[in-house]
Amino acid sequence: MDFNDTPEEAAFRTEVRAWLAANAPAHVIPQGVALDDTEEVQRGRAWQRAVYDGGYAGITFPKALGGRGGSVIEAVVFSEEEAQYHLPKGPYIGIGLGMAIAAIAKHGTEEQRQKFIEPTLKGELTWCQLFSEPSAGSDLANLRTKAVKEGDDWIVNGQKVWSSWAHRSDWGILIVRTDPSVPKHKGLTFFVVDMKSPGIEIRPIRQISGASDFNETFLTDVRIPDSNRIGDVGGGWGVCMTVLMGERLGSGSHKAQVSPLLDYAASTPGMNGGTALDSGSIRAALAQAMAEEQGAKYLEARLRTMVSRGENPGALAGMIKMSYASRLQKTSGLAMELRGLDAIAPSIDDTLTRSIQYDYIWSTVMRIAGGADEVLKNQIAERVLGMPGEIRMDKDVPFEALK
Amino acid sequence: MNFDLSDEQKMLAEQARGLLSERSPYDHLRALIDAGAEWDESLWRELGEMGFLGVAIPESFGGLGMSALDLGVIAQELGRCNAAVPYYSSIILCADAIRLAGSDIQKAEWLPKLASGEVVGTFAYAEGPGPSFATGVKLEGAKLNGSKTPVADAGIAQLAVVLVAGGGLALVDLNQSGVTRTKLESFDQLRAHYRIDFADAAAEMMPGKNVLATLLDRAAVQAAFEATGAAEACLTMARDYALDRQIFGRSLASFQAIKHKLAELAVEVELARSNAYFGAWAADESPDDLPASASAARLTALTAFENGARENLQVHGGIGYTQEANCHFYYRRERTLALGLGGRDYWTDRLINHQPGLQGQISSGKAA
Ligand SMILES: Cc1cc2nc3c(=O)[nH]c(=O)nc-3n(C[C@H](O)[C@H](O)[C@H](O)COP(=O)(O)OP(=O)(O)OC[C@H]3O[C@@H](n4cnc5c(N)ncnc54)[C@H](O)[C@@H]3O)c2cc1C
């Protein structure tokens, strides 16, 4: 066991640090500044282009596809160093890199790889994920949006929901039902869709944060050429699994959230003189959270070691997201409490408290999106501990016969 | 970066697990308790013969000179089966204290005997209710006076490392007339505790200074392995029972209330194990990281074991409250591990006080 970089990894880290120091600052978003959506996406594309030109885009992708042909650990080193800067890297970039081109690389045709992978690595294409529907979130395979073949095209009708940044995306990854006469997981097919296609209407949804960065997406007689189908007709669920695995591993990597709260507590007046950090209960809660955060960090290191050997961590990856999300909710809630009433209406220049408020709001998403806590617990119980699967009423029933 | 056990370490774990599951099954533990035995002496001898006790003791002093991680791999297996051996007292604390603070002569005299299991040692630090590092025991000249209580495994130990006033460590042969040992009733029936009174007992100061915090850090990492192994055993036991138990026409394990409880526990176990790995690595390779990483390992392992011990018994229902079920071994051992080495308060302070950049900002930075 060694937690240090190998000489090659250390050399790579040094190189990345120097490159970032020279290139990242120009793209950093100042903390506490909310950008207009259009401007944010522009900045995101520009940063991704810079990463590509620097030779660091798609580190694990083959060179022939525009990637670097590097290792998982190199990708990790790059993202660790990149996380030191506050860069524009929203879902419009992340969905493309982590999900769309991952699915295309694994399940797509040679032509599709050529068409989508390099432009996405260059930041020329932004992506959204059109999976969830009003009655298909955790139970994703329950989706109703349907596609019917007409000549060389598919005609798509239905409604998707919670589509992050769809209003600023060039392309979408889409899963639809192509055969309702078979059980629900079997009749699905995966496509990529040009978001400018006629028949796509995107309506913003107002979020609890006040922002509207996700949407309802209505699809009415949208025409998708068969050449934009990824994988086999009826094989969509398998492609989805590739995408969701990427989503879960990806949502594990986070910077330390708890240790900055120590300074925050130490700069807040306490009950009996002194600071909030003098309180035993606050110390205990923060220390426990910090200990868990460190555990998650080293668990992630173990999983990366597995991935770098070609092993699949499977449901273990969900553990990291699960522990991160509930910890963020607890610690940001606690941080507000220790600040006292001031935390619900801080002074205008107190950007730190405002970012803690934001964490408290955002933590709710982390417990739902990309696999809700309850769903991840089912998976851990079933796949890690070997406990029985959930009782399924819909298993062998054709989709059209379900209520 | 390569953050996994080596193949050799995996083999070591398998070997230890194989031996212990054969020699220390639950019925055997029950028989030891019924017989009023203080320990499993034959298992101890066997562990010594196989080299398990000397894993982290330097080769020059009769050990195998392996790493803290190798030792942790064994501690995890001992925790898994609750073996009634004084490993924690003799190897994790006493031998490591001598390794850290002893003179070459003291090391040469005692480490080979501890490594072979010929001598059992213990570490005497508590002095009754309250924080564990009180120092009412005084060493003047070569005479030791005062009392330590409770001291684990003191009935079978020949040697004690004693924490004395001023924070130093003294070596005391317990088989002398100046030492009186009184057996206490132990909450953990597989780990005997004693009160020790010293009346002008002969004692030898160890030359190493200010080693207490490091000794506790290193022991906390090992205890975290022990607790992680035990927590995992609780998880597996609860899972197996739930799979077996039919209720409301289906397997108890098919209910989400049970699945989710155990899934949460599985996460706690993996966080604890990951922290323990890093703590062991830091103990040998990165001493600056040791205080924080030992504290993190300690806190997460105690959480995993606490929930594991409690929820295992809960999943078993009424049978869990019987001597016949095996939940109670862990339920008692958990408190024993949790209260040792300073308890949660000590480790909370240590973790917080060892965050970079924070020192000096806290007005009441209490502990070491
Ligand atoms: C900010 C945000 C952004 C998102 N972005 C996207 C996006 O870009 N593209 C996209 O396709 N989707 C997106 N989603 C949707 C997200 O994937 C879903 O919200 C998620 O899968 C949960 O589905 P649901 O909302 O339908 O809730 P439901 O599935 O209805 O879940 C409701 C509750 O029931 C629980 N539950 C569900 N099944 C079980 C079970 N078997 N046992 C016990 N409890 C259960 C859940 O854990 C949850 O607590 C986003 C969501 C959010 C909040």
Side-chain angles (χ1 to χ4, degrees):
Chain A
M1 170 164 329
D2 194 352
F3 203 73
N4 286 328
D5 289 336
T6 62
E8 299 78 44
E9 287 158 10
F12 182 69
R13 194 182 292 279
T14 309
E15 175 197 319
V16 165
R17 263 191 203 158
W19 184 82
L20 284 168
N23 293 278
H27 297 269
V28 161
I29 308 177
Q31 202 104 38
V33 172
L35 297 175
D36 152 65
D37 284 0
T38 313
E39 194 196 339
E40 163 143 6
V41 173
Q42 268 169 10
R43 290 222 204 181
R45 286 181 198 268
W47 171 241
Q48 185 58 32
R49 176 75 206 202
V51 171
Y52 176 85
D53 290 341
Y56 299 108
I59 289 180
T60 58
F61 277 77
K63 283 200 171 128
L65 294 175
R68 187 185 171 91
S71 69
V72 174
I73 300 293
E74 282 173 349
V76 167
V77 168
F78 186 81
S79 64
E80 279 174 4
E81 295 301 323
E82 197 187 20
Q84 306 300 316
Y85 300 84
H86 187 54
L87 293 161
K89 288 179 61 70
Y92 44 90
I93 297 294
I95 289 173
L97 299 179
M99 302 188 211
I101 63 173
I104 294 167
K106 182 150 178 214
H107 304 275
T109 61
E110 200 41 48
E111 200 182 320
Q112 289 167 340
R113 292 192 188 121
Q114 295 301 335
K115 181 170 172 191
F116 293 111
I117 295 180
E118 189 150 9
T120 302
L121 293 174
K122 283 180 173 164
E124 287 165 5
L125 300 183
T126 57
W127 291 81
C128 64
Q129 178 192 20
L130 303 169
F131 282 16
S132 302
E133 295 184 11
S135 59
S138 303
D139 187 8
L140 179 58
N142 198 42
L143 59 90
R144 284 164 198 282
T145 297
K146 63 172 191 228
V148 180
K149 189 86 189 280
E150 203 185 275
D152 273 347
D153 291 342
W154 294 84
I155 310 297
V156 182
N157 278 285
Q159 181 199 348
K160 294 289 174 176
V161 75
W162 321 129
S163 336
S164 300
W165 293 83
H167 59 303
R168 291 286 176 269
S169 296
D170 302 312
W171 283 83
I173 46 175
L174 173 71
I175 179 148
V176 297
R177 186 164 309 280
T178 45
D179 185 357
S181 72
V182 292
K184 65 184 191 179
H185 290 86
K186 303 215 165 102
L188 305 174
T189 303
F190 197 100
F191 293 93
V192 292
V193 58
D194 183 341
M195 293 302 284
K196 306 285 171 330
S197 308
I200 293 185
E201 188 201 339
I202 298 165
R203 293 189 201 151
I205 303 174
R206 191 120 176 255
Q207 298 165 185
I208 62 172
S209 62
S212 299
D213 44 37
F214 61 24
N215 305 273
E216 289 180 292
T217 306
F218 294 86
L219 302 109
T220 312
D221 292 332
V222 175
R223 213 165 251 284
I224 302 181
D226 191 55
S227 58
N228 285 346
R229 170 168 52 81
I230 311 293
D232 296 335
V233 175
W237 189 250
V239 186
C240 263
M241 288 301 102
T242 303
V243 170
L244 294 180
M245 177 54 71
E247 187 172 12
R248 263 158 226 171
L249 261 180
S251 24
S253 323
H254 295 284
K255 276 172 75 170
Q257 301 279 341
V258 188
S259 47
L261 297 183
L262 294 183
D263 289 318
Y264 188 66
S267 66
T268 302
M271 293 265 286
N272 309 307
T275 76
L277 195 55
D278 295 335
S279 148
S281 65
I282 286 170
R283 289 171 86 78
L286 288 175
Q288 178 67 26
M290 200 181 320
E292 286 170 16
E293 178 174 271
Q294 289 179 18
K297 174 176 156 194
Y298 304 131
L299 174 56
E300 208 178 339
R302 287 170 55 203
L303 301 189
R304 281 174 187 156
T305 299
M306 287 172 76
V307 173
S308 71
R309 285 192 205 129
E311 295 163 24
N312 180 352
L316 289 171
M319 290 185 168
I320 292 173
K321 175 176 121 61
M322 206 178 105
S323 88
Y324 166 74
S326 55
R327 189 166 53 250
L328 182 64
Q329 193 162 44
K330 276 189 229 153
T331 53
S332 53
L334 171 72
M336 286 180 69
E337 264 179 63
L338 64 84
R339 196 71 160 189
L341 194 61
D342 190 59
I344 61 170
S347 73
I348 302 297
D349 58 358
D350 188 354
T351 51
L352 185 54
T353 301
R354 278 213 304 285
S355 80
I356 286 168
Q357 291 177 338
Y358 182 78
D359 282 349
Y360 186 64
I361 301 245
W362 176 247
S363 61
T364 57
V365 176
M366 295 305 301
R367 294 187 57 199
I368 296 169
D373 279 5
E374 289 71 18
V375 171
L376 296 180
K377 283 183 204 173
N378 282 347
Q379 288 182 358
I380 293 166
E382 290 163 25
R383 297 187 203 158
V384 180
L385 300 178
M387 297 171 83
E390 292 298 284
I391 292 172
R392 302 273 283 268
M393 311 302 197
D394 55 4
K395 192 142 180 272
D396 299 315
V397 186
F399 182 76
E400 60 201 0
L402 292 173
K403 265 222 308 163
Chain B
M1 190 188 80
N2 169 15
F3 208 58
D4 192 9
L5 299 181
S6 65
D7 289 344
E8 292 74 29
Q9 283 159 339
K10 287 176 189 163
M11 256 167 56
L12 181 66
E14 248 168 64
Q15 248 184 3
R17 199 193 293 205
L19 173 79
L20 291 165
S21 63
E22 197 187 315
R23 296 284 194 283
S24 197
Y26 297 117
D27 282 340
H28 179 64
L29 299 182
R30 252 184 295 277
L32 288 171
I33 293 173
D34 290 345
E38 280 192 27
W39 62 324
D40 188 343
E41 191 171 351
S42 64
L43 176 60
W44 184 249
R45 300 276 165 247
E46 202 164 351
L47 291 172
E49 279 156 26
M50 294 189 63
F52 286 137
L53 305 181
V55 161
I57 292 175
E59 280 171 297
S60 48
F61 297 114
L64 300 176
M66 287 155 74
S67 69
L69 187 57
D70 294 299
L71 191 65
V73 159
I74 294 172
Q76 186 163 300
E77 296 313 320
L78 288 165
R80 200 186 299 280
C81 73
N82 259 305
V85 289
Y87 190 79
Y88 182 78
S89 304
S90 195
I91 304 301
I92 293 178
L93 284 163
C94 181
D96 210 39
I98 295 171
R99 200 188 65 81
L100 284 170
S103 66
D104 282 348
I105 294 172
Q106 289 165 335
K107 289 181 196 172
E109 180 176 2
W110 294 110
L111 289 180
K113 292 178 185 152
L114 291 166
S116 69
E118 178 194 338
V119 162
V120 171
T122 188
F123 179 56
Y125 57 110
E127 298 182 5
S132 291
F133 309 116
T135 49
V137 169
K138 295 200 172 53
L139 181 67
E140 278 151 344
K143 298 283 174 218
L144 194 68
N145 283 289
S147 306
K148 290 283 180 186
T149 186
V151 184
D153 301 310
I156 52 175
Q158 175 192 335
L159 177 71
V161 170
V162 179
L163 176 64
V164 300
L169 300 175
L171 270 181
V172 184
D173 187 337
L174 296 177
N175 296 334
Q176 59 169 301
S177 57
V179 173
T180 312
R181 290 177 266 191
T182 313
K183 190 167 185 195
L184 305 168
E185 205 167 303
S186 279
F187 185 69
D188 182 342
Q189 296 160 298
L190 291 166
R191 199 168 265 178
H193 285 79
Y194 281 73
R195 174 193 170 92
I196 311 185
D197 295 298
F198 303 103
D200 283 339
E204 239 177 66
M205 198 66 191
M206 288 200 269
K209 297 273 171 264
N210 303 325
V211 302
L212 179 63
T214 303
L215 173 66
L216 295 175
D217 283 347
R218 293 173 54 89
V221 171
Q222 296 301 325
F225 274 104
E226 190 177 345
T228 303
E232 193 171 34
C234 292
L235 171 61
T236 308
M237 195 193 291
R239 192 266 321 259
D240 291 348
Y241 180 78
L243 281 171
D244 215 40
R245 170 82 163 150
Q246 295 297 308
I247 196 161
F248 296 106
R250 51 198 259 217
S251 145
L252 175 60
S254 71
F255 287 92
Q256 256 189 9
I258 303 294
K259 285 169 72 175
H260 285 193
K261 201 197 273 290
L262 299 190
E264 282 164 27
L265 193 52
V267 175
E268 288 172 355
V269 168
E270 292 310 329
L271 298 186
R273 199 196 318 276
S274 307
N275 270 331
Y277 282 3
F278 187 79
W281 180 78
D284 284 339
E285 306 291 337
S286 187
D288 286 350
D289 286 323
L290 182 59
S293 63
S295 309
R298 172 86 179 149
L299 292 175
T300 47
L302 291 185
T303 300
F305 192 14
E306 185 174 318
N307 291 335
R310 291 177 188 176
E311 297 310 324
N312 180 33
L313 203 151
Q314 177 70 16
V315 166
H316 277 73
I319 190 95
Y321 195 66
T322 65
Q323 285 284 337
E324 181 197 335
N326 302 315
C327 312
H328 60 99
F329 297 121
Y330 296 98
Y331 196 67
R332 289 177 185 271
R333 175 62 50 89
E334 188 278 320
R335 286 292 88 189
T336 307
L337 271 186
L339 306 189
L341 302 178
R344 268 187 191 270
D345 269 0
Y346 176 86
W347 297 101
T348 289
D349 278 351
R350 193 154 176 79
L351 180 56
I352 287 184
N353 294 347
H354 279 83
Q355 291 310 303
L358 201 78
Q359 280 95 337
Q361 287 192 40
I362 308 161
S363 55
S364 75
K366 288 172 247 177

